Amino acid sequence: MTNFLNVLLDLSVVALFLGGVAQFRNLRRARFGNLTAAFALICSVLLVLYRHGVLDPAYVAIALLAGCSLGWWIAARVNMVQIPAMVAFQHGAGGIAAFLVAYRELTRTDGSLTALGAWSGHLGLIIGAATFSGSMIASGKLANRIRQTPVVLTAHNVILVALLGLIGVLCLLAAFAPGSAPETILVFLMLVSILLGGIFAVRIGGADMPVLISFLNATAGLAAAFCGVSIGNRLLAACGATVAASGSILTHQMCLAMNRPLARVFFPRSTKHPERNATEDTPSLPAAAHDSQLSAAVRAAKQAATIMIIPGYGMAQAQAQFETVWLANRLREVGKQVRFAIHPIAGRMPGHMHVLLAEAEADPDMLVDIRDANPEFQRTDVAVIVGACDVVNPAAIGAPGTPISGMPILKAHEAHHIIVCNLDGRPGYSGVENSLYAAPNAILLFGDARATLQRLIGRLAAENAAPIMQPESMTIHRR
Amino acid sequence: MSDLLIMLAVLIGSFGAGYALISKVPTMLHTPLMSMTNAISAVTILGALLLFASETSPTGKLIGMVALLAAAFNVVGGFVMTDRMLKLFKHPPRRGTGE
């Protein structure tokens, strides 16, 4: 009977977690959902403390207090632009916890570990350790501490397969080793897994980060789930599995957005990346030319009735989200239809652009996704690109055989005018030359996006951008 | 054996429930969603607490403390960061045009 009660208690806490997740379907209730999940987590901690107690409350309290305050302190100060790096870092912390718990469980000497517990313990250890190192590399790349370009070793795939094989051998050794606590083997297993995660992650380039970070989200959940099975804790297993599901969905959606299967993202067929030698073919424009381009941009913006703004990772890097939204709001005030077209893989993690635009208080009604945006570009007077390259590169449609061929793009090239506020004319992370820059209707404003937008805003204000709008063009557009 | 079945049911059930619920989350909330599930994945804190439920060596205690610290960092950091992000989304869409 008490067992039944325990199952019921566990189930209600799991239901609380799922209830929190369910709130995320609605923008207004999401915050409540997050608090619900946090409450559920507190409940589960209390439940464990009540059921099992702790022998060294002082140690537990110190570790908890240190972890909590450190987590709070960093999370309260992190800049919205650094969110992807921070999320990856936290995945890594979760990985550490998972593999240490699994390690301790496997080396317990009281012999109460079942075969199921042992196998899932090993899996938790391997996945946790690999998640840890993979996340740390991802975090370093996202925070620009490590170069974001892919690092490809000679025979990269062979090394990965060899490491996996080694892991398999170590698992078998651990299973059939004499003695109950093959600690050395487990430590080796841990180290090899850490190496595997690191070598796996270094090859992923900046633009593929949304896939990697979602994938690590899934593996962090999976590691927790296996830990839960290993120690026979239903709550832990259930929560881990839910997170694994969430991470899998996001990974799948990111792959769909790039039109590449997961295997092609992680194990690219052609490892040669085109050299980023574009510095010589697009010299930085002389100031005078820049000025004439700026005038052209101002003219185009003033005459436009419909404007589509396309933000990308460059906007995040330049921290230009405030200027971008400010420009959008000013243009909207004078009666223009302004919207943000957001590519699913713009930025460095799923939904990255949405958070930045929300930070700058963009009206959520102005955001449109790729499916709704693309039919609109033919009727769009001006497309403003802010720090986006690959996601608007027409080569994805026109040129076969490039790394981005077949990727759905935002069809900015169909707009009447294109204002490009990118840092320079070099290719994006895919390394594919962007033919958009050569288009006759493209107005190139190369330079720091934030500074460029400030100049654009200044010029618009100086010329007293009163509602200059062709009445006939108004009637063409719906709404 | 029944343990195995219960565990399997728990794993498959929560994976399925999570999958069904999360497929319906709008793209706009994907970053906060990942940040929150990231915090939830640190339920390994339960495992770390359980390490202290039985007698262990000093090394065991040290490992347990590191695991606790990392998990607590992940939990609190994840939830706080998610809350900060969701606060940004609070501006209601119906605030109208203009500002």
Side-chain angles (χ1 to χ4, degrees):
Chain A
M1 195 58 209
T2 47
N3 191 29
F4 177 70
L5 194 69
N6 273 333
V7 173
L8 210 63
L9 264 176
D10 280 359
L11 280 182
S12 11
V13 175
V14 170
L16 212 51
F17 271 116
L18 290 176
V21 173
Q23 304 293 318
F24 266 71
R25 287 174 300 177
N26 186 315
L27 188 66
R28 288 164 189 284
R29 285 203 299 257
R31 201 170 170 212
F32 177 69
N34 183 48
L35 294 179
T36 313
F39 176 69
L41 205 114
I42 294 172
C43 287
S44 50
V45 166
L46 291 179
L47 207 58
V48 165
L49 286 179
Y50 170 71
R51 278 183 196 161
H52 303 275
V54 286
L55 291 177
D56 309 283
Y59 290 114
V60 172
I62 290 172
L64 275 183
L65 208 66
C68 289
S69 37
L70 203 65
W72 189 297
W73 191 68
I74 292 181
R77 301 159 58 94
V78 67
N79 186 307
M80 287 300 141
V81 175
Q82 300 162 332
I83 291 274
M86 200 55 215
V87 169
F89 188 77
Q90 289 173 348
H91 282 151
I96 296 180
F99 80 72
L100 288 181
V101 169
Y103 173 77
R104 286 296 301 153
E105 188 61 20
L106 289 171
T107 52
R108 249 186 19 201
T109 42
D110 56 7
S112 61
L113 199 62
T114 59
L116 172 71
W119 280 111
S120 30
H122 282 97
L123 284 172
L125 184 96
I126 296 162
I127 299 174
T131 303
F132 158 66
S133 54
S135 300
M136 286 306 155
I137 300 277
S139 178
K141 286 193 175 201
L142 288 165
N144 271 326
R145 297 253 162 80
I146 310 175
R147 279 186 52 197
Q148 297 204 354
T149 43
V151 177
V152 185
L153 307 174
T154 41
H156 209 119
N157 286 340
V158 179
I159 295 175
L160 287 176
V161 171
L163 284 175
L164 265 179
L166 190 58
I167 285 175
V169 170
L170 285 170
C171 279
L172 287 177
L173 272 180
F176 298 110
S180 56
E183 292 191 21
T184 350
I185 297 176
L186 286 179
V187 171
F188 261 112
L189 191 56
M190 219 144 64
L191 293 177
V192 175
S193 306
I194 288 176
L195 199 63
L196 177 76
I199 290 182
F200 172 75
V202 287
R203 185 161 57 175
I204 319 279
D208 294 338
M209 276 300 160
V211 183
L212 180 64
I213 197 170
S214 312
F215 184 74
L216 290 168
N217 188 221
T219 56
L222 208 58
F226 280 123
C227 275
V229 176
S230 174
I231 60 178
N233 188 306
R234 285 180 293 260
L235 266 175
L236 189 36
C239 293
T242 312
V243 176
S246 165
S248 313
I249 291 175
L250 292 179
T251 310
H252 180 64
Q253 290 192 351
M254 289 301 106
C255 286
L256 279 184
M258 296 206 286
N259 196 22
R260 268 195 291 168
L262 187 61
R264 283 270 309 280
V265 179
F266 288 155
F267 309 103
R269 217 178 290 149
S270 69
T271 41
K272 59 169 171 53
H273 266 257
E275 284 300 309
R276 297 188 60 172
N277 59 351
T279 29
E280 63 264 26
D281 31 280
T282 47
S284 59
L285 293 163
H290 197 288
D291 206 58
S292 72
Q293 295 278 306
L294 197 64
S295 308
V298 169
R299 216 176 313 125
K302 279 167 76 175
Q303 287 170 357
T306 50
I307 297 170
M308 198 75 96
I309 301 178
I310 303 166
Y313 181 59
M315 182 186 81
Q317 269 188 320
Q319 299 234 31
Q321 66 268 36
F322 297 100
E323 280 75 11
T324 308
V325 172
W326 204 85
L327 177 68
N329 284 342
R330 290 296 89 74
L331 290 170
R332 202 156 75 139
E333 272 168 17
V334 294
K336 302 176 195 302
Q337 187 198 46
V338 185
R339 282 173 300 176
F340 295 99
I342 300 180
H343 195 281
I345 61 155
R348 285 294 175 268
M349 71 185 289
H352 191 185
M353 291 297 120
H354 296 95
V355 172
L356 293 176
L357 292 176
E359 185 189 16
E361 303 192 14
D363 183 341
D365 285 346
M366 292 166 81
L367 311 189
V368 284
D369 64 15
I370 184 167
R371 213 169 347 141
D372 296 333
N374 270 342
E376 297 285 322
F377 276 112
Q378 285 182 334
R379 288 177 297 221
T380 299
D381 295 325
V382 173
V384 183
I385 296 167
V386 185
C389 186
D390 287 336
V391 296
V392 289
N393 193 344
I397 304 173
T402 70
I404 56 168
S405 295
M407 179 174 96
I409 59 159
L410 287 166
K411 295 176 179 166
H413 56 277
E414 290 180 352
H416 303 159
H417 293 281
I418 309 150
I419 301 177
V420 182
C421 304
N422 285 358
L423 189 60
D424 51 32
R426 300 198 311 191
Y429 280 96
S430 69
V432 182
E433 209 69 51
N434 196 335
S435 51
L436 198 62
Y437 298 153
N441 55 347
I443 302 164
L444 305 176
L445 301 177
F446 290 143
D448 178 72
R450 191 171 177 182
T452 307
L453 284 173
Q454 279 167 351
R455 286 180 65 191
L456 190 59
I457 291 167
R459 280 286 283 274
L460 272 170
E463 296 192 17
N464 187 19
I468 303 170
M469 216 179 314
Q470 268 66 30
E472 66 272 21
S473 72
M474 275 289 280
T475 51
I476 300 170
H477 305 288
R478 295 182 287 118
R479 229 155 79 110
Chain B
M1 194 56 206
S2 68
D3 274 0
L4 175 67
L5 286 181
I6 290 177
M7 271 304 170
L8 266 180
V10 166
L11 279 180
I12 294 170
S14 17
F15 191 91
Y19 206 94
L21 285 176
I22 288 157
S23 319
K24 297 201 183 77
V25 173
T27 325
M28 186 180 262
L29 287 177
H30 275 174
T31 294
L33 172 76
M34 188 188 284
S35 176
M36 185 191 70
T37 53
N38 173 26
I40 296 180
S41 77
V43 279
T44 29
I45 197 169
L46 303 184
L49 281 173
L50 284 171
L51 296 181
F52 286 91
S54 51
E55 207 61 60
T56 47
S57 59
T59 340
K61 284 201 182 83
L62 186 71
I63 291 179
M65 279 181 76
V66 175
L68 257 186
L69 193 140
F73 172 83
N74 191 351
V75 167
V76 175
F79 282 126
V80 170
M81 215 160 71
T82 311
D83 191 60
R84 278 189 57 203
M85 267 188 264
L86 290 174
K87 248 193 281 185
L88 299 176
F89 282 102
K90 274 229 132 170
H91 303 283
R94 66 164 79 106
R95 210 163 85 186
T97 50
E99 188 57 7

